Amino acid sequence: MLEIRNLHARIEEDGREILKGIDLSVKAGEVHAIMGPNGSGKSTLASVLAGRPGYEITEGSVTYQDRDLLGLAADERAREGIFLAFQYPVEIPGVNNMYFLRAALNAVRKQRGDKDLDAGQFLKAVRAKLKLLDIGEDLLQRAVNVGFSGGEKKRNEIFQMAMLEPKLAILDETDSGLDIDALRVVSNGVNRLRSPERAIVMITHYQRLLDYIEPDHVHVLSGGKIVLSGDKNLATELEKHGYAMLGDAA
Amino acid sequence: MTVTKPETAPWLAAFKSRVPLAHEPAALTLRRETSLNRFAELGLPTRRDEDWRYTDLRPLDGKNLTAHLSKISEDIDINSYVLEDSAHRIVLFNGHWVESLSKLDKLPSGVWFGPSSNWLKDFPDLNMEILETSEFEGRQPFTSLNGAFFSDGFVLTLDPGVVLNRPIQILHVGQTGKSGAQHLRNLVRLGSGAQATLVESFSGEGDYWTNAATSIHLAESATLHHVRLQDEALEAIHFASVRATLGVRSKYDTFTLTLGARLSRHDIAASIEGEGAHCALGGAFLLRGQQDATTVTLVDHAAPGCETRELYKGVVDERSHGAFLGKIAVRPDAQKTDAHQLSRNLLLSPRASVDTKPELEIYADDVKCSHGATVGDLDEAALFYLRARGIPEDEARRMLIYAFTAEAIETVGNMALRAYLHGHLERWLAKSGK
Ligand SMILES: Nc1ncnc2c1ncn2[C@@H]1O[C@H](COP(=O)(O)OP(=O)(O)OP(=O)(O)O)[C@@H](O)[C@H]1O
Ligand SMILES: [Mg+2]
């Protein structure tokens, strides 16, 4: 589904190279976890995959469903089924959450060849997913993420994901800032999306999330490279020894 | 002997060959001459005049501004501008009343609403109130010119205590193949405790010039909600001045959505003369191409315990230019004045520009006054967030522009009017689709 080869990326503004040759292969049906120290480039990788402006790809390639991903604009990628749950969801004053979600859903549906949902069908779909993620309906009447607590913002990301049903979901520290109950609810939401046709890449600092959403592969990203890969036991090792153990792995 | 500015000569000549109104009272003709002389003295403004510094008057060059537009026909399409919810309406075409499209039946008692030409005919002996406040403090040559040449307009007067619940609408339509002017003269007078909601729309086709002047008098505890939609033809020129006097505990709130005209200017001067009055001025301008729009507000607090709120939003795209000059003056006696003014602007293109100049002039010590101005680009992080959910870039941009502008429209209290403005904002945004 996703093939990343020798990906190098730098920040356009100051020319600093952040990704220094990433190789990663994600197949349909798989769940990958990416861990690694602060500032190692995890969010940058997620941003580059989602098409955020401001980064320059200097080397390497990314193919998604046998197409060159890097040639697509951010919104095209989303309509092709890529979803990024933001580490820091953006507040957008004046844009109503429901209105925004409906525009997004209809854009994605159009690409899939599905008809627009009318107001009634949309509301029905929304209510079902809200319940699943234990989100109050009042949250949707507000402007996008404005006045949401940290946890509410994260829940809203997963709620959007549940509505849009992406093929490849990239979750950037969705577990950070969630209380214990919320973590369970959000993990349930993610697990429901798991299917043989879909893939999930989750960036996290904590082993705990992986107890709820069991990964097939765990990678460690450090200094802009993937320095270590393994199965879920790698996360347990890391939890025990910290990133100091990278010293001999890298 | 006053000095006559040479550039006013064509107007002085045009005045001689002017066709007076039917039933024009002699007193009015005299007043017109006074206005004309005042205009001849002032001459056309230049960028050396502080008030006109940000307004490029070159689009006026080469236009036949002395020509008067005439009513070409009564067969005009006003459908996109009619407010369904309005109880009464006047249509003015090229500055002339179109009776067949107007709706003036069943006016409640205590209300006079109609074209100003009729008002002058009905009340020839009134003291020409319609021209009384024509000469603003400062330089307002176009208002003087309006006094000399106006052909028609509207008048609304309410007796004390009369409350109109549904809005009253005035549609100004301009249309010309060649350039020419429509000078509109309007008067609103509300007796004590009277209430009205007024919506004016300006639209048309061609490169006509609209020059409107409105006097508003609010007696004690009167309330006027005044909404303006300026959606003139893109080649047109639009000047409008509003002069309001606010009595004790009266309320005046006004909102203008500026979408049209190649060059436009809107001057509002509010004199707060009665204690406890409330004044809310607001607006949004959305410009593209080579459009240029200026809003000038002056709120003069002469009485204590009054409140002013101003919120203006500007969106400029392509090579357009917008300007906001807002002044709040607080006189020594106007203690406990509470005045806030905010001008926020969005630059959508590197070649577009905005000038904003908020100004406070305070001579009282016990007041709460503030002002602010911002100019910024579209929020890139928000734009990416929307796009990351599949929303195409141009739609995402429209959503953000809409949200930015809607905040100002939300200050309009009447729901039908808000919907009316939202509708026209959406129409404007739809035109920006690539
Ligand atoms: N748009 C940007 N402008 C400037 N610096 C950036 C930008 N994006 C990333 N960086 C820098 O790149 C480096 C990697 O950042 P990134 O956000 O990818 O780290 P991370 O692995 O996600 O860290 P964390 O675990 O703290 O979230 C950091 O030094 C960061 O400051
Ligand atoms: Mg990060």
Side-chain angles (χ1 to χ4, degrees):
Chain A
M1 174 172 277
L2 182 74
E3 286 292 336
I4 305 175
R5 295 256 161 79
N6 189 32
L7 183 66
H8 290 253
R10 64 180 183 202
I11 297 165
E12 255 169 23
E13 217 171 24
D14 58 11
R16 200 146 55 94
E17 185 169 64
I18 306 295
L19 303 183
K20 300 174 179 166
I22 303 259
D23 287 286
L24 183 68
S25 169
V26 178
K27 295 194 181 62
E30 290 181 345
V31 174
H32 290 241
I34 298 180
M35 306 182 81
N38 292 133
S40 58
K42 303 181 297 298
S43 292
T44 302
L45 174 62
S47 294
V48 165
L49 292 177
R52 182 194 282 270
Y55 299 95
E56 191 193 344
I57 312 301
T58 50
E59 232 184 299
S61 66
V62 181
T63 32
Y64 166 69
Q65 296 192 312
D66 306 320
R67 289 177 69 182
D68 171 24
L69 182 71
L70 301 175
L72 299 179
D75 46 291
E76 289 175 306
R77 296 182 197 192
R79 293 195 296 275
E80 291 293 343
I82 292 185
F83 181 92
L84 168 64
F86 285 61
Q87 180 174 2
Y88 304 109
V90 182
E91 298 190 4
I92 313 182
V95 175
N96 173 273
N97 219 352
M98 283 285 251
Y99 176 81
F100 150 71
L101 191 61
R102 196 166 160 200
L105 185 58
N106 284 336
V108 168
R109 288 176 65 90
K110 192 169 164 193
Q111 182 76 18
R112 295 199 291 239
D114 296 337
K115 274 202 297 236
D116 276 13
L117 291 184
D118 67 33
Q121 294 167 316
F122 175 69
L123 201 65
K124 223 173 125 189
V126 162
R127 292 218 166 108
K129 307 285 185 194
L130 279 179
K131 223 172 133 203
L132 198 71
L133 287 158
D134 198 17
I135 297 177
E137 218 168 290
D138 57 309
L139 226 53
L140 290 186
Q141 303 307 333
R142 294 202 229 149
V144 178
N145 292 323
V146 175
F148 286 31
S149 76
E152 284 168 345
K153 282 181 186 167
K154 295 297 176 84
R155 254 188 242 220
N156 193 30
E157 294 292 289
I158 300 306
F159 165 65
Q160 290 172 19
M161 182 186 80
M163 290 295 298
L164 299 176
E165 301 180 322
K167 296 193 186 99
L168 172 65
I170 303 161
L171 314 181
D172 192 356
E173 293 199 26
T174 299
D175 53 333
S176 299
L178 290 181
D179 65 41
I180 303 159
D181 293 336
L183 182 63
R184 193 177 309 118
V185 168
V186 162
S187 303
N188 269 336
V190 176
N191 281 327
R192 282 200 176 231
L193 201 77
R194 287 182 79 156
S195 88
E197 294 84 47
R198 297 206 173 97
I200 296 167
V201 174
M202 42 189 197
I203 296 165
T204 182
H205 287 293
Y206 307 106
Q207 152 75 28
R208 202 179 48 185
L209 176 72
L210 309 182
D211 292 339
Y212 288 106
I213 310 168
E214 219 175 279
D216 303 296
H217 303 275
V218 174
H219 313 274
V220 178
L221 203 159
S222 180
K225 278 185 186 169
I226 289 183
V227 293
L228 204 60
S229 293
D231 60 13
K232 65 177 199 267
N233 294 320
L234 177 57
T236 323
E237 290 288 300
L238 284 168
E239 188 88 352
K240 237 186 270 167
H241 307 291
Y243 291 118
M245 66 181 272
L246 295 180
D248 32 281
Chain B
M1 225 355 243
T2 54
V3 181
T4 297
K5 292 277 170 60
E7 72 269 19
T8 63
W11 276 283
L12 301 184
F15 190 76
K16 292 205 179 89
S17 57
R18 163 192 87 91
V19 185
L21 298 181
H23 317 283
E24 179 159 314
L28 173 58
T29 308
L30 281 174
R31 288 283 185 156
R32 285 189 188 278
E33 281 163 12
T34 310
S35 296
L36 186 73
N37 291 338
R38 177 83 179 126
F39 171 69
E41 244 174 77
L42 291 171
L44 291 179
T46 72
R47 298 185 95 162
R48 283 187 300 277
D49 300 310
E50 187 56 29
D51 253 18
W52 293 84
R53 236 173 80 189
Y54 301 107
T55 310
D56 181 357
L57 286 173
R58 274 176 302 184
L60 292 178
D61 293 349
K63 287 205 198 293
N64 186 6
L65 299 173
T66 56
H68 251 75
L69 294 174
S70 51
K71 186 162 66 179
I72 305 166
S73 81
E74 302 215 342
D75 183 23
I76 46 173
D77 183 10
I78 52 170
N79 284 334
S80 15
Y81 295 96
V82 166
L83 175 76
E84 286 306 328
D85 202 43
S86 61
H88 308 285
R89 107 179 137 238
I90 286 182
V91 177
L92 291 150
F93 183 45
N94 283 347
H96 303 277
W97 181 40
V98 183
E99 190 170 3
S100 61
L101 295 173
S102 300
K103 198 168 82 176
L104 293 172
D105 53 321
K106 300 200 194 92
L107 281 170
S109 67
V111 178
W112 200 100
F113 177 55
S116 35
S117 53
N118 278 5
W119 192 77
L120 289 162
K121 193 165 61 185
D122 287 4
F123 305 103
D125 302 329
L126 276 187
N127 56 3
M128 290 300 132
E129 190 179 12
I130 195 159
L131 283 178
E132 207 153 63
T133 52
S134 65
E135 270 57 72
F136 287 22
E137 297 104 287
R139 290 170 56 92
Q140 281 298 348
F142 294 111
T143 307
S144 300
L145 190 65
N146 175 297
F149 283 103
F150 78 89
S151 53
D152 214 330
F154 71 89
V155 172
L156 171 70
T157 67
L158 299 191
D159 287 351
V162 174
V163 174
L164 293 177
N165 288 315
R166 285 168 65 197
I168 281 186
Q169 190 178 19
I170 300 100
L171 292 104
H172 305 278
V173 184
Q175 195 187 81
T176 179
K178 300 168 287 177
S179 44
Q182 50 169 348
H183 298 280
L184 303 153
R185 195 74 179 190
N186 316 310
L187 170 69
V188 178
R189 179 165 28 82
L190 304 193
S192 56
Q195 295 181 19
T197 302
L198 208 60
V199 51
E200 286 185 85
S201 68
F202 297 85
S203 62
E205 266 172 51
D207 68 346
Y208 58 91
W209 173 32
T210 301
N211 183 27
T214 307
S215 303
I216 296 171
H217 305 273
L218 304 182
E220 181 171 344
S221 300
T223 299
L224 180 66
H225 309 288
H226 184 193
V227 165
R228 301 171 71 254
L229 168 66
Q230 193 274 81
D231 194 23
E232 303 272 30
L234 286 172
E235 313 85 72
I237 294 164
H238 174 98
F239 292 159
S241 60
V242 174
R243 171 86 163 90
T245 52
L246 280 69
V248 175
R249 284 188 301 281
S250 65
K251 283 188 177 146
Y252 177 56
D253 62 72
T254 183
F255 184 91
T256 296
L257 181 61
T258 297
L259 304 174
R262 165 70 180 79
L263 170 67
S264 71
R265 182 170 162 112
H266 181 207
D267 284 80
I268 309 177
S271 296
I272 303 192
E273 296 175 353
E275 196 164 345
H278 177 93
C279 175
L281 311 181
F285 55 84
L286 293 97
L287 310 172
R288 57 166 73 102
Q290 291 196 69
Q291 283 181 281
D292 187 356
T294 299
T295 300
V296 184
T297 68
L298 167 65
V299 182
D300 181 4
H301 281 261
C306 299
E307 210 174 63
T308 289
R309 291 288 176 272
E310 287 188 51
L311 175 61
Y312 281 86
K313 295 253 183 150
V315 176
V316 288
D317 200 356
E318 297 172 358
R319 291 197 288 153
S320 62
H321 170 252
F324 171 75
L325 287 82
K327 184 166 168 179
I328 296 177
V330 182
R331 299 201 194 194
D333 292 340
Q335 298 294 1
K336 306 270 181 215
T337 291
D338 179 348
H340 298 283
Q341 183 190 66
L342 184 59
S343 152
R344 295 190 57 203
N345 301 281
L346 199 52
L347 290 177
L348 297 180
S349 138
R351 300 177 72 188
S353 62
V354 162
D355 290 291
T356 171
K357 199 178 142 212
E359 217 182 320
L360 295 173
E361 209 179 271
I362 302 173
Y363 297 105
D365 47 22
D366 184 16
V367 299
K368 223 166 79 188
C369 293
S370 69
H371 64 68
T374 63
V375 180
D377 301 331
L378 217 53
D379 180 351
E380 286 298 327
L383 193 61
F384 175 64
Y385 190 82
L386 297 174
R387 294 180 65 197
R389 297 296 176 254
I391 298 170
E393 180 170 8
D394 53 345
E395 191 183 339
R397 289 171 70 88
R398 284 200 294 270
M399 281 169 82
L400 294 177
I401 297 166
Y402 186 90
F404 177 81
T405 315
E407 192 199 338
I409 294 179
E410 289 311 305
T411 61
V412 174
N414 182 295
M415 222 167 73
L417 285 179
R418 271 203 312 269
Y420 180 79
L421 294 171
H422 279 301
H424 285 277
L425 172 60
E426 271 163 22
R427 264 175 40 151
W428 185 89
L429 288 168
K431 283 186 225 157
S432 67
K434 275 168 231 149

